[in-house]
């Protein structure tokens, strides 16, 4: 039996300082919005961004000063891994608020609440990065998804947005059900909910089914095939900044949970889950890339490309080594800049011509050389062309896979790079070669321009000088250097070891 | 690769990034005339610096020269290591030389977006330079892939054919398909190094110090082979080449057909790193067979081509077969001949593409049936056609002869059947070129030709002269060029003979040298 002990000391409270700070901050933002009607929504946006960046600085201080530990009997941990993911999520949240500013102008109601909801989802995902047992996984996951249910359906007058919201909600609740059921099975079999205490348990069918259910629920979050069906419609219907947010932050947070759960909780069953991730990775990459070819809408194209990117990230999970987790962390950084950048360009174009069709990107180079060049760079980074960030990320992942001798996965992954290049180049062709229908120059507002510049800088910097960032990723996963034995050495089996 | 000589000035970095910098400078310019002049200035300065590099190069040694080495991504063992040796030095000069000629060629032939064109051309030069001076495998790969971007845009935006969109995409995807496999091969080498030294390295010099198990060598060899074979292209991976070269503009044809990056890769990486796989009987038999098929198939298909540029494409596939035969003869003469032929093709095949471009500008096509009697209107063009064509066939006195002779010598030494089949390629080459020459240049003047058909202007004339000078220089006095390559070729041959297990002794020597530096 577990007993819960909720007495907290000062040093315990210090560990959750970033979250407490952000909670207070977002309450302030909401209060300002309610009490001072004269305050423009832009001010609220910059206020939110200020809070997020301040939280990032607190986290950097934690990382440098080594303020780490665990709370509530190891249910909630603050370690370098969680700090890495929290910073990643906060950066994504801040950039999303930046690119939302113009978009929010189009809303008639609830402009201030929008920023509140975005920040609250970000806060939920910060908790996800620290979840170290199945109950915290459930609670934090639902907390973060709650904000998204509202955000996806934020365009009340747009039938697509409402439809997207409903789809996302129904499937989200279904996934939550799977998660709860899986957790109950795992608890019944092992008698514990904390990952580190599960290691060493004998395998059983109940445990296997339980973890498969949990995997399915998290697969829903990251959009891995076959749990991806909500992705294209939701991405297309949701407000584009929310789509950008959905495409990176929840995925990163769920990856953090997956890494903890499989690397720590299921370390002794590694050969089994390696197979699981190899299959999921192959299917996701191939399905995402092949279906992306036929897309006519840029948001749908990015949705399918995102499914494929998740497949690529799972290559690292399939490797199941320290190197694999380093590679995932680094890849998520590269994906953050390339993907948010691409969505920022989509928003800039949408704000001007009010369309997301790829046809309308014809001749973008004439209308805005800046946006076209930035998009070109982001797409090449997503495809993995050197020396951009995506190349180093993919190289790192594939080195990890080669080391584990996952040759089938590797070959499929490499062929997928070629397929993805095809549809990215089609967009490039439309931007650079085709003639524009209407050649009025596209104007870009300052906040979006800032985000695009930041993402371009990030994509180039991570590609040309990745050393510091790889160092960061490597130090964030130091705890896995002892765990995760090589695949060949483990003999135990999940089904009756 | 016994030692590394360093220059005080990072000349290779300069050679690689200066054209890129130049492209950026041109970007900021508005005046069309100034753009052309600056592009020419940048290309000429690059050529002067490369010439200075060639003059400073110490011949008859296998040393890596003008070495620059910095750590880049230490976690994966990736370094920024640039150097040249006897294998790569001549390509640096060739690239700079051809770029100058291409700027001259494009002077008033490129009418749409000339600024973007010169930028792409200089960017392409930069990436090709990068390919030849990179010693680190990943750095090499970075330039290898980056090269696709400017050439993709050049084929697409300035392509001569109506199918240039398709050709550009096909070119990129085919090359990419090959190179992803190559990347796996590189990673396997990296991991093999890790298993011996407990640290990662993609550096060629480091990797040479570690033996690779023979079984793994064969796997890595084929993976890397895919990358180089697609790029070269070796038969049967050549199907992108006719599209890219006939649909694309003349400058990309000149660079893609004239600079043999694929076969350079075999000599630079496959042979020294994987000597046991490279001399494995099955491997040699397969690659030799592919080379012989390419020679005969390319030549026969070239004979029946009605379009001169298509003829050149297949002639280039046939010539590439020669290069492959020479390389896989695995003896000194064969490899030296191949290396020299790779350089020669940069003057002869590329030269013929220039001439095809001159014809295309005047007639709007290069169809043999639609033109005859060009000699009557354009005697200068006819003269250059003859000289460069003879070099391409390999007539004694021209550069083509020296290279092909050495290749055939090497092939006969290796196994007489290879040599005997390869020789037929020479005969076919004479057949397709002379038949073309007879139909297009001689004969009665075709009626449909434009009345005001001008002969070559000064710029075109200059391009022709420059090419002819190089053709006769190498043809009549090849020894400076051969001396530059001798040391490195001998080193490769020694490694091929001794296998990779015997390499550990000089390796420690190399490492101590580096430490001393």
């Amino acid at each position: 039996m577990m007993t819960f002990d909720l007495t907290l000391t000062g040093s315990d409270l210090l560990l959750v300082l970033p979250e407490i700070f952000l909670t207070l901050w977002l309450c302030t933002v909401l209060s300002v919005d309610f009490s001072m009607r004269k305050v423009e929504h832009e001010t609220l946006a910059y206020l939110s961004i200020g809070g997020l960046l301040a939280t990032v600085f607190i986290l950097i201080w934690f990382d440098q000063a080594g303020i780490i530990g665990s709370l509530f009997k190891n249910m909630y941990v603050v370690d370098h891994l969680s700090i890495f993911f929290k910073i990643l999520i906060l950066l994504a949240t801040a950039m999303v608020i930046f690119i939302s500013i113009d978009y929010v102008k189009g809303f008639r109601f609830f402009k201030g609440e929008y920023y509140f909801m975005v920040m609250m989802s970000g806060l939920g995902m910060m908790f996800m990065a620290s979840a170290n047992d199945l109950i915290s996984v459930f609670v934090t996951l639902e907390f973060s998804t709650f904000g998204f249910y509202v955000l996806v359906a934020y365009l009340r007058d747009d039938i697509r947005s409402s439809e997207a919201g409903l789809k996302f909600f129904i499937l989200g609740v279904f996934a939550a059900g799977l998660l709860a059921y899986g957790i109950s099975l795992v608890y019944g079999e092992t008698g514990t909910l904390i990952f580190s205490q599960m290691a060493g348990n004998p395998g059983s069918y109940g445990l296997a089914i339980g973890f498969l259910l949990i995997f399915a629920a998290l697969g829903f979050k990251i959009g891995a095939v076959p749990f991806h069906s909500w992705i294209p419609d939701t991405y297309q219907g949701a407000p584009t900044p929310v789509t950008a947010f959905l495409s990176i932050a929840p995925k990163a947070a769920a990856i953090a949970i997956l890494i903890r759960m499989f690397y720590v909780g299921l370390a002794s069953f590694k050969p089994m889950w390696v197979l699981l991730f190899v299959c999921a990775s192959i299917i996701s990459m191939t399905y995402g890339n092949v279906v992306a070819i036929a897309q006519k809408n840029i948001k749908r194209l990015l949705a399918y490309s995102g499914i494929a990117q998740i497949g690529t990230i799972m290559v690292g999970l399939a490797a199941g080594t320290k190197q694999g987790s380093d590679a995932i962390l680094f890849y998520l950084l590269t994906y953050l800049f390339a993907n948010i950048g691409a969505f920022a360009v989509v928003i800039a174009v949408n704000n001007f011509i009010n369309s997301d069709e790829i046809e309308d990107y014809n001749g973008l180079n004439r209308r805005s050389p800046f946006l076209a060049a930035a998009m070109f760079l982001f797409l090449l980074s997503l495809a993995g062309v050197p020396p951009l960030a995506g190349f180093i990320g993919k190289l790192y992942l594939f080195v990890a896979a080669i080391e584990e001798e996952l040759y089938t996965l590797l070959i499929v992954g490499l062929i997928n790079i070629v397929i993805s290049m095809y549809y990215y180049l089609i967009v490039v062709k439309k931007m650079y070669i085709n003639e524009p229908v209407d050649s009025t120059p596209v104007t870009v507002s300052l906040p979006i321009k800032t985000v695009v510049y930041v993402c371009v800088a990030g994509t180039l910097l991570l590609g040309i000088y990745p050393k510091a960032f790889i160092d960061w990723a490597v130090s964030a996963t130091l705890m896995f250097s002892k765990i995760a034995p090589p695949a060949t050495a483990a003999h135990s089996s999940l089904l009756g070891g | 690769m016994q030692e590394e000589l360093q220059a005080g000035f990072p000349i290779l970095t300069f050679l690689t990034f200066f054209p890129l910098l130049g492209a950026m400078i041109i970007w900021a310019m508005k005046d069309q005339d100034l753009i052309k002049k600056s592009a020419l200035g940048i290309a000429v300065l690059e050529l002067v610096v490369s010439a200075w590099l060639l003059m400073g190069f110490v011949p008859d040694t296998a040393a890596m020269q003008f070495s620059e080495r910095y750590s880049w991504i230490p976690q994966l063992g990736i370094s920024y290591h640039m150097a040249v040796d006897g294998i790569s030095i001549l390509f640096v000069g060739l690239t700079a030389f051809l770029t100058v000629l291409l700027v001259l060629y494009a002077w008033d032939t490129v009418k749409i977006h000339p600024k973007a064109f010169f930028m792409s051309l200089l960017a392409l030069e930069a990436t090709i330079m990068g390919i030849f001076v990179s010693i680190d495998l990943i750095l090499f790969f970075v330039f290898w892939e980056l090269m696709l971007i400017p050439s993709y845009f050049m084929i697409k935006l300035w392509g001569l054919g109506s199918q240039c969109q398709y050709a550009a995409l096909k070119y990129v995807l085919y090359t990419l398909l090959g190179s992803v496999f190559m990347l796996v091969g590189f990673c396997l080498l990296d991991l093999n190094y890790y298993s011996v030294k407990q640290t990662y390295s993609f550096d060629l010099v480091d990797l040479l110090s570690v033996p690779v198990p023979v079984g793994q060598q064969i796997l890595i060899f084929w993976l890397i082979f895919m990358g180089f074979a697609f790029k070269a292209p070796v038969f049967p991976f050549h199907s992108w080449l006719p599209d890219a070269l006939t649909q694309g503009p003349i400058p990309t044809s000149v660079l893609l057909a004239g600079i043999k990056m694929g076969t350079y890769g075999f000599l630079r990486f496959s042979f020294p790193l994987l000597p046991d796989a490279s001399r494995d009987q099955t491997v040699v038999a397969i690659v030799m067979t592919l080379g012989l098929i390419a020679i005969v198939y390319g030549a026969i298909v070239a004979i029946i081509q009605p379009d001169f540029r298509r003829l050149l494409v297949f002639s280039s596939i046939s010539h590439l077969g020669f290069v492959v035969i020479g390389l896989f003869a695995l003896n000194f003469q064969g490899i030296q001949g191949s290396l020299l032929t790779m350089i020669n093709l940069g003057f002869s095949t590329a030269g013929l593409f220039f001439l095809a471009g001159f014809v295309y500008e005047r007639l709007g096509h290069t169809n043999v049936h639609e033109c005859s009697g060009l000699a009557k209107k354009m005697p200068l063009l006819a003269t250059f056609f003859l000289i460069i064509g003879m070099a391409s066939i390999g007539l004694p006195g021209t550069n083509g002869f020296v290279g092909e002779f050495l290749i055939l010598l090497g092939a006969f030494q290796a196994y007489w059947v290879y040599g005997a089949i390869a020789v037929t390629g020479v005969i076919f080459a004479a057949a397709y070129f002379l038949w073309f020459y007879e139909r297009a240049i001689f004969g009665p003047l075709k009626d449909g030709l434009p009345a005001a058909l001008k002969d070559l202007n000064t710029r075109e004339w200059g391009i022709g002269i420059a090419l002819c000078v190089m053709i006769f220089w190498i043809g009549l006095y090849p020894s400076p060029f051969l001396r530059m390559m001798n040391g490195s070729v001998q080193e490769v041959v020694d490694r091929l003979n001794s296998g990779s297990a015997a390499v550990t002794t000089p390796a420690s020597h190399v490492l101590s040298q580096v430490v001393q530096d």
Side-chain angles (χ1 to χ4, degrees):
Chain A
M1 282 297 290
M2 290 174 70
T3 48
F4 288 99
D5 181 9
L6 288 177
T7 48
L8 287 168
T9 62
S11 60
D12 288 345
L13 274 177
L14 176 67
L15 289 177
V16 278
L17 175 69
E19 284 81 2
I20 293 174
F21 174 78
L22 193 62
T23 312
L24 292 176
W25 193 278
L26 65 93
C27 291
T28 316
V29 170
L30 195 63
S31 318
V32 170
D33 182 40
F34 283 156
S35 53
M36 297 183 230
R37 307 304 297 182
K38 278 183 201 155
V39 173
E40 289 290 322
H41 78 95
E42 281 102 331
T43 321
L44 292 174
Y46 291 118
L47 198 63
S48 312
I49 292 166
L52 292 166
L53 294 182
T55 320
V56 169
F57 283 118
I58 299 178
L59 285 166
I60 293 175
W61 167 54
F62 272 36
D63 201 40
Q64 297 296 321
I67 302 174
I68 54 174
S70 64
L71 286 176
F72 310 126
K73 293 252 169 95
N74 219 3
M75 284 171 72
Y76 182 93
V77 290
V78 179
D79 52 9
H80 291 291
L81 185 70
S82 69
I83 293 175
F84 179 95
F85 276 100
K86 283 175 189 178
I87 293 177
L88 186 82
I89 289 161
L90 286 172
L91 287 179
T93 315
M95 286 202 270
V96 164
I97 292 185
F98 251 118
I99 54 180
S100 302
I101 293 175
D102 284 332
Y103 208 89
V104 171
K105 277 183 193 150
F107 295 170
R108 278 191 295 157
F109 307 108
F110 308 126
K111 291 181 179 174
E113 285 85 344
Y114 174 85
Y115 300 118
F116 172 76
M117 296 308 289
V118 169
M119 276 169 84
M120 202 188 77
S121 302
L123 180 66
M125 287 180 288
M126 281 175 73
F127 283 120
M128 270 170 89
S130 277
N132 197 36
D133 85 328
L134 289 169
I135 290 295
S136 4
V137 167
F138 187 83
V139 173
T140 57
L141 201 106
E142 291 314 305
F143 177 27
S144 70
T145 316
F146 179 72
F148 278 113
Y149 291 144
V150 181
L151 285 171
V152 168
Y154 218 82
L155 303 174
R156 293 200 311 177
D157 304 332
D158 184 351
I159 192 156
R160 276 184 175 282
S161 177
S162 308
E163 184 198 330
L166 195 63
K167 264 190 186 153
F168 183 52
F169 178 70
I170 292 173
L171 285 169
V173 170
F174 182 63
L178 292 182
L179 183 60
Y181 190 52
I183 290 171
S184 70
L185 278 174
V186 171
Y187 184 63
E189 292 290 336
T190 63
T192 179
L193 289 165
I194 297 173
F195 295 145
S196 50
Q197 292 170 9
M198 285 172 200
N201 257 292
S204 69
Y205 282 107
L207 195 59
I209 295 170
F211 272 108
L212 277 178
L213 289 170
I214 297 173
F215 174 72
L218 290 169
F220 170 85
K221 286 286 147 220
I222 60 175
V225 179
F227 314 110
H228 66 283
S229 55
W230 60 280
I231 289 220
D233 290 339
T234 307
Y235 274 32
Q236 193 182 359
T240 315
V242 175
T243 311
F245 199 22
L246 266 179
S247 74
I248 172 79
K251 290 183 181 179
I255 293 277
I257 293 178
L258 280 173
I259 292 179
R260 275 186 208 285
M261 190 163 87
F262 284 92
Y263 273 53
V264 180
L266 294 172
S268 48
F269 305 117
K270 191 178 160 195
M272 311 285 299
W273 54 262
V274 162
L275 193 67
L276 179 71
F277 280 116
V278 167
C279 296
S281 169
I282 287 179
I283 300 171
S284 300
M285 281 192 285
T286 314
Y287 176 85
N289 279 327
V290 170
V291 179
I293 292 175
Q295 299 310 314
K296 302 264 182 282
N297 182 295
I298 190 89
K299 280 162 85 178
R300 287 184 86 86
L301 180 120
L302 287 172
Y304 282 106
S305 120
I307 294 173
Q309 299 284 352
I310 277 298
T312 314
I313 289 172
M314 282 195 288
V315 170
L317 283 166
T321 51
K322 161 93 170 69
Q323 202 177 21
S325 59
D326 297 345
I328 293 173
L329 265 54
F330 183 74
Y331 195 84
L332 281 170
L333 272 181
T334 72
Y335 186 58
L336 168 75
F337 289 113
N339 211 41
I340 297 255
F343 272 109
V345 174
V346 170
I347 292 169
V349 172
N350 184 293
N351 283 346
F352 195 79
I353 59 176
N354 205 12
S355 161
D356 291 325
E357 297 305 309
I358 300 179
E359 280 301 313
D360 292 318
Y361 281 73
N362 280 351
L364 184 64
N365 182 42
R366 308 275 178 77
R367 307 184 67 180
S368 171
F370 164 68
L371 284 182
M375 189 69 165
F376 177 54
L377 207 66
F378 298 140
L379 293 179
L380 287 191
S381 179
L382 288 174
V385 172
L388 300 173
F391 167 70
I392 309 282
K394 285 203 164 82
L395 179 69
Y396 211 152
L397 282 169
F398 286 134
V399 167
I402 297 176
E403 195 142 14
E404 291 299 295
E405 299 176 350
L406 302 168
Y407 293 120
T408 317
L409 178 62
L410 191 72
I411 300 291
V412 176
L414 293 172
I415 292 172
N416 269 294
I417 291 183
V418 181
I419 302 176
S420 70
M421 195 69 186
Y422 174 78
Y423 61 80
Y424 291 132
L425 277 183
I426 285 186
V427 179
V428 171
K429 181 206 142 203
K430 293 215 192 288
M431 292 191 305
Y432 277 91
I433 315 280
N434 290 9
E435 292 296 321
V437 183
D438 163 20
S439 54
T440 41
V442 176
T443 48
V444 188
S445 70
L446 185 67
I448 292 185
K449 216 176 223 172
T450 316
V451 170
V452 172
Y453 273 122
V454 167
C455 291
V456 166
T459 305
L460 288 174
L461 183 67
L462 284 167
I464 293 168
Y465 185 69
K467 184 175 174 293
F469 300 94
I470 294 181
D471 273 338
W472 184 25
V474 168
S475 64
T477 58
L478 271 183
M479 58 185 193
F480 298 135
S481 45
K482 292 197 192 85
I483 311 173
T488 44
H491 295 293
S492 50
S493 150
L494 193 54
L495 303 178
Chain B
M1 284 150 253
Q2 300 289 311
E3 70 221 276
E4 299 205 31
L5 307 176
Q6 291 174 331
F9 172 68
I11 185 167
L12 297 178
T13 303
F14 176 84
L15 278 173
T16 308
F17 292 102
F18 177 64
L20 209 59
L21 185 73
M24 284 175 194
I25 294 171
I26 288 181
W27 190 25
M29 292 180 179
K30 289 267 189 290
D31 181 46
Q32 299 294 340
D33 205 42
L34 188 62
I35 288 170
K36 285 180 195 169
K37 283 179 182 155
S38 332
L40 184 64
I42 291 159
V44 168
L45 183 60
E46 177 89 356
L47 180 63
V48 169
V49 177
S50 334
W52 188 71
L53 182 82
L54 260 85
M55 283 189 282
F57 185 84
V58 183
D60 292 318
T61 166
M64 288 287 177
Q65 308 190 22
F66 304 100
S67 172
E68 295 166 34
R69 190 178 198 175
Y70 309 99
S71 177
W72 180 21
I73 310 175
Q75 293 92 345
L76 287 171
I78 301 171
S79 59
Y80 178 88
H81 190 181
M82 286 182 167
V84 285
D85 68 348
I87 295 171
S88 52
I89 179 80
L90 289 175
F91 287 101
V92 172
L94 178 66
T95 308
F97 177 78
L98 286 180
T99 310
V100 173
L101 298 193
L102 285 173
V103 172
L104 285 176
Y105 173 83
W107 199 262
D108 50 31
T109 51
V110 173
K111 293 188 180 66
I112 36 169
H113 311 309
K115 179 159 98 174
F117 180 86
F118 286 115
M119 281 170 62
S120 306
L121 182 63
L122 289 173
L124 187 57
E125 181 185 21
T127 54
I128 295 177
M129 281 290 178
I131 289 175
F132 290 121
V133 299
S134 297
I135 293 301
D136 185 274
L137 269 60
I138 293 297
L139 190 63
F140 169 82
F141 187 82
V142 166
F143 289 116
W144 182 266
E145 293 284 285
L146 268 186
M147 200 214 116
L148 295 177
I149 296 170
S151 44
Y152 169 79
F153 277 105
M154 282 170 85
I155 295 177
K156 209 159 197 179
L157 282 171
W158 295 279
L160 302 176
S162 54
Q163 297 290 310
C164 59
Q165 314 260 343
Y166 162 78
L169 196 60
K170 188 172 175 183
Y171 158 67
V172 169
L173 294 183
Y174 269 58
T175 320
L176 197 65
L177 184 66
S179 46
V180 289
F181 288 105
M182 181 169 83
L183 186 60
V184 178
F186 287 171
C187 292
L188 285 172
L189 285 168
D190 180 51
L191 294 174
N192 176 65
Y193 185 83
Y194 180 77
S195 68
V196 178
K197 300 257 168 150
Q198 303 307 312
T199 166
Y200 294 104
S201 179
F202 276 105
D203 194 322
L204 178 67
V205 178
D206 287 348
L207 292 174
L208 285 174
S209 67
V210 172
V212 185
V214 179
Q216 213 186 357
Q217 276 195 29
I218 306 258
L219 171 73
I220 299 175
F221 179 88
W222 287 120
L223 287 168
I224 296 183
F225 178 84
M226 293 290 278
F228 295 145
F230 268 106
K231 188 81 141 204
V234 174
F235 177 90
F237 306 105
H238 65 279
S239 78
W240 62 269
L241 190 73
D243 289 318
L245 264 54
T246 53
Q247 302 293 328
I250 295 292
T252 49
S253 309
V254 166
L255 288 175
L256 292 179
I259 298 180
K260 301 289 178 198
M261 284 163 278
T263 39
Y264 163 79
F266 286 126
L267 192 50
R268 165 92 294 163
F269 298 111
S270 304
F271 281 5
L273 285 171
L274 311 161
D276 299 309
S278 306
R279 62 177 182 179
D280 179 84
Q281 281 188 340
T282 330
V283 169
V284 171
I286 293 173
V287 181
M288 277 292 202
T289 313
L290 293 180
L292 290 174
I293 293 175
I295 293 180
V296 177
Y297 161 86
I300 290 178
V301 177
I303 292 178
I304 55 163
Q305 291 305 319
D307 184 285
F308 181 55
R309 279 180 297 144
R310 270 190 96 78
L311 181 150
L312 279 179
V313 170
F314 286 99
S315 122
S316 142
I317 291 172
S318 173
H319 280 128
L320 207 94
F322 270 106
V323 174
V324 171
I325 294 293
L327 287 177
F328 282 83
L330 304 176
N331 49 35
F332 186 81
Q333 284 82 4
I335 293 177
Q336 196 186 32
S338 289
L339 189 52
L340 189 63
T341 302
M342 288 182 227
I343 301 293
N344 287 342
L345 294 175
F347 301 115
S348 55
T349 305
L352 288 173
F353 266 110
F354 272 117
L355 297 178
F358 300 157
V359 173
Y360 185 89
E361 271 158 53
R362 286 169 173 76
L363 304 180
H365 64 79
T366 48
N367 195 327
V368 181
H369 297 308
E370 299 293 317
C371 58
S372 68
L374 290 179
K376 291 196 174 65
K377 287 274 190 182
M378 300 190 278
L380 262 178
L381 178 82
T383 315
F384 282 127
F385 245 125
L386 192 66
I387 296 172
I388 301 177
M390 287 302 135
S392 165
I393 298 173
L395 200 74
T398 63
N399 61 352
F401 175 73
V402 186
E404 284 190 6
F405 177 74
L406 284 168
I407 290 177
L408 290 174
L409 199 66
F412 273 110
Q413 274 181 21
Y415 184 39
W416 68 270
V417 176
Y418 295 144
I421 299 176
V423 153
T424 61
V426 182
I427 301 164
F428 283 127
Y432 64 70
F433 181 74
L434 292 176
W435 195 37
F436 156 77
Y437 197 77
E438 182 201 330
R439 284 182 297 168
I441 310 290
F442 290 151
L445 196 60
K446 184 90 179 175
D447 293 336
L449 294 179
L453 206 56
K454 288 209 181 80
D455 204 355
L456 303 187
N457 61 29
T458 326
R459 254 182 329 99
E460 295 169 334
W461 188 79
I463 294 175
I465 289 289
L467 289 165
C468 289
V469 166
M470 292 311 296
I471 284 172
F472 285 118
W473 185 4
I474 304 182
L476 298 172
Y477 184 55
S479 73
F481 299 94
L482 293 175
R483 275 185 64 208
M484 279 191 183
M485 34 177 105
N486 276 344
S488 298
V489 170
Q490 189 60 50
E491 167 101 1
V492 170
V493 173
D494 289 346
R495 283 189 71 92
L496 283 168
N497 290 334
S498 54
S500 86
V503 299
T504 29
T505 346
S508 54
H509 180 62
V510 171
L511 285 177
S512 64
Q513 276 288 332
V514 173
V515 171
Q516 277 168 25
D517 291 336

